[in-house]
Each structure stands twice: as structure tokens, then as C-alpha cells.
Amino acid sequence: MRPIQLADVEIAARVLLRVAPDARAAMLASMIDQTQLADSYRQMHGTPHPQYGCGTLMSCAGHLDLAPRPCQLDIDALDTYAVVIAALMAHLSHQNQ
């Protein structure tokens, strides 16, 4: 996975807004796996993965249903951000071990 940018967090959260709350963690885990696959593909072939993009969460979300940007952060929107941040922190801490 390429370095995480703030836009990656927002786009991933907007994808999760379209998913039932109890399925969000699994959806994000799948997106992280796809992002890692895409980054490996990009490094090996020098071109983005045809389905999952260039190795960022934002490019991975390109083939997924994206909710509109929320005009305010209600409890549901905040939950999606919490899921994204927790998963990314776990992923990064696992990589650094």
C-alpha cells in the first residue's frame, strides 16, 4: 500500500457509508487487501492494476459505490471514519513489527 493521505481516509469512509455498519470492517479489510495487491502489481508491471488502481485506497475505491460527501459528520459518518482509522492503524502497526 502506498503512503496514506487524508483523501484516502475520506474516500474509504464514503465507501463505507454505503455499507451496513456490521459489514464495514470486512469491507475495509477487503479494500486494504485490494490496495496492497494493486501496489504490488504497480511495482511489478509499472502500471496501475486494471481493477484496483495504483495502490492507494482512493484509487481502489474507483470501482466501488461512493456516498456523497456528508455535509455534517453525524454518528454514522463518524463511525465510518472510526472504522477506517482503526483499520489503518492496525494495518500500519502490523507492518512495522
Side-chain angles (χ1 to χ4, degrees):
M1 175 185 293
R2 296 179 83 167
I4 300 162
Q5 304 292 320
L6 186 56
D8 294 308
V9 175
E10 179 185 356
I11 295 301
R14 288 173 57 192
V15 167
L16 296 185
L17 280 170
R18 295 281 193 199
V19 177
D22 61 343
R24 288 176 178 165
M27 177 68 171
L28 190 61
S30 177
M31 287 177 64
I32 289 171
D33 289 346
Q34 292 168 1
T35 299
Q36 291 194 145
L37 176 74
D39 194 34
S40 295
Y41 183 94
R42 178 191 61 82
Q43 291 174 20
M44 185 178 295
H45 299 285
T47 185
H49 186 279
Q51 185 174 4
Y52 303 135
C54 66
T56 66
L57 280 173
M58 187 184 312
S59 66
C60 177
H63 71 283
L64 301 171
D65 191 19
L66 192 65
R69 187 178 205 193
C71 58
Q72 62 184 18
L73 295 177
D74 60 13
I75 193 78
D76 194 41
L78 288 170
D79 178 65
T80 63
Y81 278 94
V83 169
V84 172
I85 290 168
L88 290 174
M89 288 179 67
H91 174 74
L92 291 175
S93 66
H94 177 70
Q95 279 190 328
N96 292 330
Q97 290 181 357

